[in-house]
Amino acid sequence: MWATIIEVLNVKATPAKIHIIGSVGSGKTTLAKELSIKLEIPYYELDNVVWLRKENDDIRRTVEERERFLHSIVETDKWIIEGVHNEEWVNSSFQQADMIVFLDTDYHIRTYRIIKRFIKQKLGLEPVHYRPTFKIFLKMFRWNKHFEQVGKPYFLEKYQKYQEKIFMVKDKKLVHRKLFQKS
C-alpha cells in the first residue's frame, strides 16, 4: 500500500533529501521551489541535469556528464530533486531520498496548465529555461499522455521497493499545507 499524505505528518525529522516526480504540468517545480524556501534546501530540476542551458540553444549532456552531475547533487547532505524522469540513471536519487513525492495531478488539470504555461511564456510573463516553440508545446501533450499511460505504471512497479517513503498526492498544495501547517 502506498503511503498517503497523512503519513507525511508522521515523519519524525524534516526530510533533507526529497525527490518529486510527476508529469509535465503536475506542479513539480512549483512545489520544489516552495519546499526549497521553507526548508532552506537547494532544489534541482532534472531537465537541467539532462540539458546544458545556453542562451541561444540547449545542449544535451552526454550520459557520463549527466550521471556525474546527478551524482554530485545526490552526494550532498540536502537536496530537492524534481523531474519526470524515472529511468535507470536516476535510481540513486530515489534510493537516497528520505521522501519521494509522487504528484498524481489530474490529467485534465495538467493539460490546462500546459496551455496556460505556454501562453504565459510566449507573452514573457513566466520565466523559461528553453525556447517555448509550438513544437515543444505539442510534445508536452504527448509527454503528458505518455506519462499517464506508461511512465506512471512503470514508476509504481519499478520503485515499489521504496513504497514506505513514497507519498502519492493529487495536489501539491496538500503537501505544502501538511508539512508546514501549525497545529
Side-chain angles (χ1 to χ4, degrees), residues 15-166:
K17 297 179 179 184
I18 302 170
H19 191 122
I20 303 168
I21 184 169
S23 183
V24 59
S26 63
K28 300 177 303 293
T29 305
T30 303
L31 179 59
K33 288 176 182 177
E34 291 172 356
L35 295 180
S36 177
I37 291 167
K38 290 277 189 177
L39 299 174
E40 298 180 349
I41 297 174
Y43 81 94
Y44 304 90
E45 299 174 37
L46 284 176
D47 283 347
N48 293 335
V49 173
V50 173
W51 297 96
L52 179 60
R53 304 299 187 181
K54 296 287 185 176
E55 190 174 323
N56 295 328
D57 205 7
D58 296 338
I59 300 169
R60 184 182 286 274
R61 295 179 200 273
T62 66
V63 171
E64 295 80 19
E65 290 171 329
R66 178 185 69 196
E67 289 176 357
R68 230 181 355 260
F69 189 15
L70 181 62
H71 180 75
S72 72
I73 296 166
V74 171
E75 290 303 311
T76 62
D77 293 335
K78 294 180 176 186
W79 46 259
I80 298 169
I81 294 174
E82 67 87 358
V84 67
H85 300 279
N86 62 16
E87 301 89 1
E88 198 65 33
W89 69 274
V90 293
N91 271 350
S92 62
S93 61
F94 288 118
Q95 180 183 16
Q96 293 190 40
D98 300 323
M99 175 189 292
I100 301 167
V101 177
F102 187 102
L103 282 176
D104 193 22
T105 309
D106 181 72
Y107 180 83
H108 300 293
I109 292 172
R110 296 190 320 249
T111 301
Y112 166 76
R113 288 177 178 170
I114 291 168
I115 296 166
K116 180 180 166 187
R117 175 191 299 163
F118 181 74
I119 292 168
K120 289 174 88 174
Q121 289 172 344
K122 291 305 268 184
L123 293 173
L125 301 174
E126 182 173 306
V128 62
H129 298 298
Y130 55 89
R131 234 176 27 170
T133 64
F134 192 69
K135 183 178 177 181
I136 290 177
F137 177 60
L138 294 177
K139 281 183 179 182
M140 287 187 180
F141 293 107
R142 288 196 299 275
W143 296 333
N144 190 24
K145 186 174 185 177
H146 182 267
F147 185 84
E148 192 68 26
Q149 296 175 344
V150 178
K152 178 179 170 179
Y154 175 80
F155 172 84
L156 295 176
E157 181 180 329
K158 180 174 175 84
Y159 295 103
Q160 67 182 345
K161 61 187 168 191
Y162 303 129
Q163 64 183 338
E164 74 282 350
K165 61 181 178 179
I166 296 176

